[in-house]
Each structure stands twice: as structure tokens, then as C-alpha cells.
Amino acid sequence: DPTDKLTIEYKNIRGNRELKEGEEILITVYNISSIATIIKKRGNEITVKLQKPVIAREGDKVVILAKSGSRWSLYGVGNIK
């Protein structure tokens, strides 16, 4: 079933910048991308609210992009919990 809320365990693969609650990021699961807002962050785990629902299962791989100036850039990778 489509969901608009995901919990992701992630690994930062670019730089030292940390994600923050309230920040908008771009999430890609399989070939579906959606803008997401971080609603909760604890360690290397984030819970996000998606603008566009996705179909995803626990363990699916996720690519995370974050804004760098006016452009999206690769931030990290993770798995859905």
C-alpha cells in the first residue's frame, strides 16, 4: 500500500553536514522520487513525511538528496525500517 511516512536508517556518504528536523530532502525509492520533510531525527535514523506517497517495504534501499545552495546533491543512502 502507498505510504506518505517513512522511517529510514541512513548513512551520510558526502561531507560532515547533518540533516535537521524540518529540513526538506529528496527521497528516491526504486524509480520513484518524492520531496520529504524530516519530522523526527534520532542518531542515524530519520522519519519523513512525503509529499507524494510511495510503495515501499521494510529493507528497501533509499537514496537521499539534500539541497546544496539551489541544487540537489547526493547526501546519503539508507534502508527503510
Side-chain angles (χ1 to χ4, degrees):
D1 289 343
T3 183
D4 66 347
K5 196 173 180 184
L6 295 174
T7 299
I8 302 165
E9 188 173 357
Y10 72 95
K11 177 179 166 187
N12 179 349
I13 60 174
R14 290 279 179 123
N16 297 332
R17 189 173 84 73
E18 287 294 319
L19 296 175
K20 302 177 190 112
E21 287 185 14
E23 181 177 355
E24 280 195 340
I25 56 177
L26 182 63
I27 299 287
T28 303
V29 182
Y30 295 109
N31 65 339
I32 301 167
S33 295
S34 180
I35 301 288
T37 303
I38 300 172
I39 55 177
K40 184 178 177 186
K41 181 180 185 308
R42 186 176 59 217
N44 66 334
E45 188 175 296
I46 55 174
T47 301
V48 297
K49 173 90 167 108
L50 304 168
Q51 287 183 4
K52 181 173 62 174
V54 297
I55 297 175
R57 294 188 206 112
E58 186 175 332
D60 285 348
K61 296 202 181 306
V62 176
V63 175
I64 302 168
L65 290 92
K67 279 265 180 147
S68 177
S70 61
R71 302 175 65 180
W72 292 106
S73 62
L74 181 63
Y75 178 83
V77 294
N79 294 310
I80 296 174
K81 290 191 82 180

